[in-house]
């Protein structure tokens, strides 16, 4: 089925709203899956990597968490190529099905106490499958929405892909918090932690049924893909774009996993908060951030993409230390304020990073570049963040060691944004400025 465009540039063949919802569902599931694992890392460590030392169990659980991201660079290359070669829709349909099935499988996987060494091995394999499947999910959905949106609303429309990710985190964190309040610690350890993983199948099924009705984007249909080999062309002609994109998004990737995945375990292990209390804080902060992302997208359509990306980097440099100090107070309100403010700073970048890069590229390379950049930044660096942060803090005895990592990455992001042009379409219809 083909699409056409109306005079304002909007793709026909289904409402734009339905496309936003369907594309966003996969991102809901993506970060629901990965978020739930991070939120329950302490419990998973005890069930699959038992040890007399709780820190050792936690490190093992985060190691399995990182392994899931190891599959992302490979998945990004393969699935990004397929999205640019065969279309955005087929990849969006396939990835949500695989993610749902692998998440469900983790939920029914017997623990180490039931099947011994096979349990952690199977867990690692399922994490690899998850990582491979999600590698092109965010890239494909963001490009899909961008290519369907009117040019003057691209930042706002494409930002809903990231908004879906935070909705998934809220669902995972919220469900975890609810169960933590309803069940005692023993019930959570034995079977309660499994319910959020099983629920992921419901999200997957709804998203799969919705995505099957999507139509392909006009930009992709305009490509003469018969002789195209995106994966070859990307590494030959667009490798500088990949490097620049990685440098720009490392702040948001690593920063998120420090402030919202590692921090939950940190509050539980070192600050002695209950899992339920830590997840209560996490859920409230994520809700505020979820609202901030589309607002930042609206702003980016008005003033440009670069001011938002610069604000994320500069805000981190200035505010990272005092906000991390708030997160380590004993007051519920202060911890919540610190996490929320840090997330709002990051959200200004999250709303525009992928769009900025995609708008500088020709359609036949967009999914590949964004997917590969995300796969490397999140797979190699982001996935290792909870593990390395836990080790770094334990090794140095300095709870503020993660702050210096975030500041260094903020400087790198600032420099990368400097190299990119401003891609916001001008209201007079002329080409974007290249400043």
């Amino acid at each position: 089925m083909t699409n056409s465009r109306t005079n304002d540039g909007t793709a026909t063949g289904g409402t734009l709203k339905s496309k936003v919802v369907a594309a966003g569902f996969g991102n809901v599931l993506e970060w629901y899956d990965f978020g739930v694992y991070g939120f329950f890392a302490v419990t998973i460590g005890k069930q699959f990597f038992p040890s007399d030392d709780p820190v050792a169990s936690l490190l093992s659980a985060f190691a399995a968490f990182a392994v899931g991201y190891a599959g992302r660079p490979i998945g990004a290359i393969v699935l990004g190529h397929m999205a640019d070669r065969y279309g955005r829709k087929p990849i969006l349909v396939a990835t949500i099905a695989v993610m749902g099935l692998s998440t469900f499988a983790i939920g029914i996987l017997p623990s180490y106490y039931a099947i011994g060494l096979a349990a952690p091995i199977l867990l690692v394999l399922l994490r690899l499958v998850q990582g491979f499947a999600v590698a092109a999910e965010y890239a494909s959905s963001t490009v899909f929405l961008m290519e369907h949106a009117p040019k003057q609303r691209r930042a706002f429309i494409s930002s809903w892909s990231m908004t879906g990710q935070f909705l998934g985190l809220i669902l995972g964190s919220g469900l975890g918090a609810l169960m933590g309040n309803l069940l005692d610690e023993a019930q959570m350890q034995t079977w309660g932690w499994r319910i959020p993983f099983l629920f992921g199948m419901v999200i997957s099924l709804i998203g799969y049924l919705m995505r099957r009705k999507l139509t392909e984007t006009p930009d992709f249909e305009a490509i003469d893909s018969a002789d195209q080999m995106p994966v070859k062309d990307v590494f030959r002609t667009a490798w500088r774009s990949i490097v620049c994109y990685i440098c720009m998004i490392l702040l948001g990737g690593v920063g998120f996993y420090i402030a919202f995945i590692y921090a939950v375990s940190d509050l539980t292990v070192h600050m002695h908060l209950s899992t339920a209390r830590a997840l209560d804080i996490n859920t409230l902060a994520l809700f505020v951030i979820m609202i901030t992302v589309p607002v930042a997208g609206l702003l980016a359509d008005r003033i440009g993409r670069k001011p938002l990306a610069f604000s994320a980097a500069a805000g981190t440099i200035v505010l990272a230390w005092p906000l991390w100090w708030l997160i380590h107070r004993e007051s519920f309100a202060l911890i919540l304020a610190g996490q929320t403010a840090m997330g709002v700073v990051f959200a200004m970048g999250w709303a525009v990073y992928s769009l900025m890069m995609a708008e500088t590229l020709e359609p036949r390379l967009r999914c590949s570049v964004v997917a590969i950049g995300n796969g490397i930044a999140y797979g190699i660096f982001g996935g290792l963040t909870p593990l390395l942060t836990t080790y770094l803090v334990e090794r140095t005895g300095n709870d503020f060691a993660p702050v210096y990592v975030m500041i260094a990455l903020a400087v790198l992001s600032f420099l990368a944004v400097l190299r990119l042009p401003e891609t916001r379409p001008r209201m007079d219809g002329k080409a974007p400025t290249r400043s």
Side-chain angles (χ1 to χ4, degrees), residues 127-348:
R127 291 288 300 157
L128 282 170
V129 171
Q130 282 185 321
F132 183 90
V134 305
E137 167 62 38
Y138 174 63
S140 297
S141 61
T142 300
V143 171
F144 177 87
L145 291 177
M146 166 198 161
E147 292 179 347
H148 272 299
K151 290 184 178 180
Q152 301 299 335
R153 300 179 62 201
R154 275 182 169 176
F156 175 66
I157 297 300
S158 65
S159 73
W160 285 95
S161 184
M162 179 61 73
T163 303
Q165 294 189 349
F166 281 99
L167 178 57
L169 285 168
I170 289 170
L171 287 175
S173 181
L175 184 57
L178 175 64
M179 295 182 58
N181 285 307
L182 293 178
L183 304 178
D184 59 36
E185 195 65 26
Q187 291 172 319
M188 284 290 291
Q189 293 291 332
T190 54
W191 57 268
W193 68 271
R194 297 181 181 273
I195 294 179
F197 287 93
L198 301 178
F199 182 71
M201 193 64 190
V202 176
I203 302 174
S204 175
L205 181 60
I206 296 173
Y208 176 80
L209 294 174
M210 295 180 68
R211 285 186 168 185
R212 289 185 63 186
K213 300 178 181 179
L214 291 174
T215 54
E216 194 53 79
T217 70
D219 285 8
F220 175 78
E221 291 188 336
I223 301 172
D224 180 9
S225 60
D227 299 321
Q228 299 292 341
M229 283 296 291
V231 68
K232 180 178 67 175
D233 294 338
V234 161
F235 289 108
R236 186 179 63 197
T237 65
W239 64 269
R240 289 183 180 85
S241 294
I242 294 175
V243 172
C244 182
Y245 181 58
I246 291 170
C247 292
M248 179 171 61
I249 66 174
L250 276 175
L251 169 62
V254 172
F256 169 79
Y257 284 105
I258 289 176
F260 292 94
I261 300 298
Y262 165 77
V264 172
S265 299
D266 184 42
L267 291 172
T268 303
V269 175
H270 296 112
M271 301 294 290
H272 304 295
L273 265 69
S274 67
T275 300
R277 195 68 166 168
L279 289 176
D280 284 341
I281 295 171
N282 222 44
T283 303
L284 291 171
L286 290 171
F287 182 78
V288 175
I289 298 163
M290 182 184 70
I291 297 172
T292 303
V293 170
V295 173
L298 279 172
L299 192 58
D301 279 330
R302 290 180 175 273
I303 67 173
R305 287 65 161 126
K306 293 183 72 170
L308 275 295
F310 278 136
S311 296
T316 301
I317 294 170
V318 174
L319 297 174
W321 201 97
L323 293 180
W324 195 250
W325 180 86
L326 287 177
I327 291 173
H328 284 77
R329 298 304 92 194
E330 296 183 358
S331 165
F332 181 97
L334 291 179
I335 297 173
L336 176 61
Q339 263 200 329
T340 301
M342 188 169 289
V344 168
V345 171
F346 291 151
M348 291 185 286

Side-chain angles (χ1 to χ4, degrees), residues 34-46 49 54-70 123-124 127 257-258 260-266 269-270 379 382-391:
F34 278 71
V36 161
Y37 188 100
F39 298 145
F40 288 95
V42 174
T43 300
I44 291 172
K46 294 176 181 178
F49 307 96
V55 174
S57 291
L58 182 61
L59 284 170
S60 297
F62 277 145
F65 180 86
V67 165
Y69 279 83
L123 177 64
V124 168
R127 291 288 300 157
Y257 284 105
I258 289 176
F260 292 94
I261 300 298
Y262 165 77
V264 172
S265 299
D266 184 42
V269 175
H270 296 112
L384 287 171
T385 295
L387 172 66
L388 294 180
T389 304
T390 301
Y391 176 80

